Each structure stands twice: as structure tokens, then as C-alpha cells.
Amino acid sequence: MHTIYKKFYRNCYFKTNGFIPSSPLNKTLFLGDFFHIVNGEMIVLGNIFSGNIVDSKNVTFDHNIPLNPEAWKFHEGVSKPYAGRGTGQSIDGDFEFSKQIIAFETSGSFLFHANHPEAVKIKNWTDIQNELIIKLTQTYYSFRKLYVITETASASDWTLAIAGAKNGELEIAMETENFGLVDLFGHHNSKTIQSKDIDYYNRQKERKPSFFKAKKLIEQDEKLPVFINELIYQRSLIKQWGNTFYTYDLDSNHDHDVALLNNAQISILDLLPGNQLNPNTALQYFKWTDTSLDDVALFF
């Protein structure tokens, strides 16, 4: 995904208490979808419920959870240098309208406005998490990393504008019968008259789950120090073997090897003997964690 979307994704995560927009934007998501992030996009591989990996009868769902509406209206690098009223003419006579100009300071500056946000979530995740580890890593699939959507959010409608360059601009107008100025951005009766350097503009008029929270399947790392110590010991034995195998003296920097092993990003699964990872031991080597800002960064 292009970096101009990065400010919106980061702000969405912070402002909405951890909800992440789909990638690409406005993608329909369902509870139980499992996916990878590849080249900045979500690649949905299946669903734990529709695929009968987990019996939905054993799962408790919480529907129509109201979310803080003010948390779903946010922006960065945006100002409104003009808001006013005017009069126009049509075949039906004179009419009054409100007009606003919205200015975007830099590339990636954005304005987001959502109405009536609600969430749906898996309420008893702890009851199924171990079953899922075994089935997703051993029984049904052999995943080593994976995301499973546990909560989705939607709004009755939402509008998002993102600038593609500095000094972007939107001009919005709405015919109105009242004499007060209203916020036109995101209003269902407003219309965009003109725009400049706006890379993304979307008005979603129907409720659609396109924001999510997920659990991430990762490796347990508690046993990793034990494996590294064993590697260090084996390396010392190799040095002794090398001195007997070759007919000349070897100069080996053992301390340097130890430091490299201690600092290396080693996968414990790569160190397991054959057949040690199986349905009976899977829970010792995998666990679930919440999505975080590090996962948002993978979209860019």
C-alpha cells in the first residue's frame, strides 16, 4: 500500500482503540476470517466458521456493540479556511446553499468521518484459542504465522479523503433550508464541487464491516534460550572436531559465535527434531497475541 495512507491507518489504530482499516480500504471482513499480509494487502485464506474448523455453536458472539462516535471522527493536517453561505438560481427559483473549502497540508493528510459505529466480536475467544492452534498448525493446516479476525467494526456511513500531494483541496456544497452553518464533510446531502490533489475519496453509504481487530499466531519463545545454549555447546564440540579433522591449526572465535547466536532472530521451529512438533505438542510452541502497531506497519 502506498505510504500516503499511513497517517490514516496509524490514527485509526490509536483513535478507535485498536481497530485497523482493511487493506485494501473498504474490503468486507467477517468474524473468523484468517489471513496473511502480503505486499501490504490482506490475503484472506479462509474462515474458521464457514470452513467448519470451529463449530459456531460453541462460540458466543456479541452483536451491535456501540462504539464511541467521537472516536470515529478524526483528521491530520487538515484545516477549513472557508465556510459560508450563498444563493443560487434554478428553474424553481432561488435557493440557498452552504459551502466549505477543506485544505490538506501535506501528502497523506486526511479527514475521516464515520456515523453510528458498531462492533461485532467473538466473546469467548479463550474457549477456542487452543483448539485453533492445533487445527491451524497441525490438523487442517501447517501455518506458522497467521491472523484471525476476532472483532469487526462498521458504521452506518463513513467518508474519507486523503491528499496525494501538499496543498490538496476539497470544495463541498449542500443546498439547505436552514440558516446555520453545518459541517458538510460526510453529510449525506453534500456534494463535492471540485477537488485538487486528492488521491483517495470515498463515501460508504451502507453499513459494511471494513475495520477489524485480530489475534496473531506467533511462536512461543520461552524455550528459545535452552535451544541456543545447546547450539553454543554443539558449536564448541565442532571446534574440537575441526582441530582433529584438519591437519593444520584452526583459529576460531568462539566468543563471537556465541554473541551472534544470542542476538540472532532464530525460529525455535527450525531447531526442533523431526516429528517433535505434532498435535500433542503444538500448544508448547505457539500462542496468540493481539494485533499491534507493528502489524499496521506491515501494510506499508
Side-chain angles (χ1 to χ4, degrees), residues 129-137 217 283 286-288:
Q129 61 178 349
N130 288 346
E131 174 187 358
L132 275 175
I133 286 177
I134 295 171
K135 289 183 175 180
L136 292 174
T137 66
L217 179 71
L283 298 182
F286 292 98
K287 65 180 178 180
W288 296 102

Side-chain angles (χ1 to χ4, degrees), residues 15-34:
K15 301 291 186 181
T16 65
N17 192 30
F19 279 101
I20 303 172
S22 64
S23 179
L25 285 165
N26 212 25
K27 183 184 184 77
T28 300
L29 303 172
F30 299 101
L31 288 182
D33 281 350
F34 54 90

Side-chain angles (χ1 to χ4, degrees), residues 16-270:
T16 65
N17 192 30
F19 279 101
I20 303 172
S22 64
S23 179
L25 285 165
N26 212 25
K27 183 184 184 77
T28 300
L29 303 172
F30 299 101
L31 288 182
D33 281 350
F34 54 90
F35 65 93
H36 283 159
I37 299 176
V38 181
N39 296 327
E41 290 193 6
M42 302 170 65
I43 307 299
V44 177
L45 303 171
N47 186 283
I48 62 175
F49 303 121
S50 67
N52 295 317
I53 298 173
V54 171
D55 190 343
S56 59
K57 295 178 181 178
N58 299 327
V59 180
T60 304
F61 300 97
D62 203 350
H63 296 274
N64 307 118
I65 305 169
L67 301 174
N68 179 8
E70 294 307 311
W72 288 78
K73 299 177 178 66
F74 51 90
H75 58 83
E76 182 176 325
V78 170
S79 62
K80 299 176 181 178
Y82 174 82
R85 295 184 59 81
T87 302
Q89 290 184 335
S90 68
I91 58 175
D92 298 321
D94 293 344
F95 65 92
E96 294 203 4
F97 63 89
S98 296
K99 185 173 78 168
Q100 283 185 340
I101 294 177
I102 302 173
F104 297 79
E105 182 180 358
T106 62
S107 173
S109 294
F110 71 90
L111 178 59
F112 176 71
H113 187 121
N115 293 310
H116 311 294
E118 293 181 354
V120 181
K121 69 183 296 184
I122 297 174
K123 195 173 182 179
N124 63 330
W125 168 259
T126 55
D127 294 339
I128 64 172
Q129 61 178 349
N130 288 346
E131 174 187 358
L132 275 175
I133 286 177
I134 295 171
K135 289 183 175 180
L136 292 174
T137 66
Q138 299 298 308
T139 310
Y140 285 78
Y141 298 97
S142 300
F143 290 122
R144 295 295 178 261
K145 293 182 180 179
L146 192 70
Y147 297 88
V148 175
I149 293 178
T150 56
E151 188 170 358
T152 62
S154 62
S156 61
D157 60 276
W158 59 264
T159 308
L160 171 64
I162 303 177
K166 63 184 299 187
N167 299 323
E169 194 173 273
L170 271 179
E171 186 175 346
I172 302 174
M174 181 180 73
E175 186 177 349
T176 180
E177 296 179 356
N178 63 62
F179 293 91
L181 291 175
V182 296
D183 190 356
L184 302 185
F185 184 81
H187 196 285
H188 63 278
N189 286 329
S190 66
K191 296 180 180 180
T192 300
I193 297 177
Q194 63 178 0
S195 65
K196 182 183 75 172
D197 292 327
I198 301 300
D199 189 84
Y200 182 88
Y201 182 80
N202 183 67
R203 295 182 64 176
Q204 174 59 39
K205 299 179 180 180
E206 299 176 350
R207 189 171 290 278
K208 182 178 180 181
S210 298
F211 304 86
F212 72 94
K213 293 182 181 180
K215 295 292 185 179
K216 179 171 60 173
L217 179 71
I218 62 173
E219 298 175 20
Q220 298 260 25
D221 55 8
E222 286 80 359
K223 293 186 177 182
L224 187 56
V226 176
F227 281 87
I228 290 179
N229 286 335
E230 177 63 21
L231 285 176
I232 292 172
Y233 173 70
Q234 293 297 329
R235 190 61 187 168
S236 66
L237 295 181
I238 289 175
K239 180 186 177 183
Q240 297 175 19
W241 166 84
N243 287 330
T244 60
F245 184 81
Y246 293 100
T247 58
Y248 48 84
D249 292 334
L250 294 177
D251 183 14
S252 175
N253 190 339
H254 178 69
D255 292 338
H256 180 65
D257 288 344
V258 170
L260 288 176
L261 282 170
N262 281 320
N263 294 321
Q265 298 296 316
I266 299 174
S267 169
I268 193 172
L269 300 179
D270 294 335

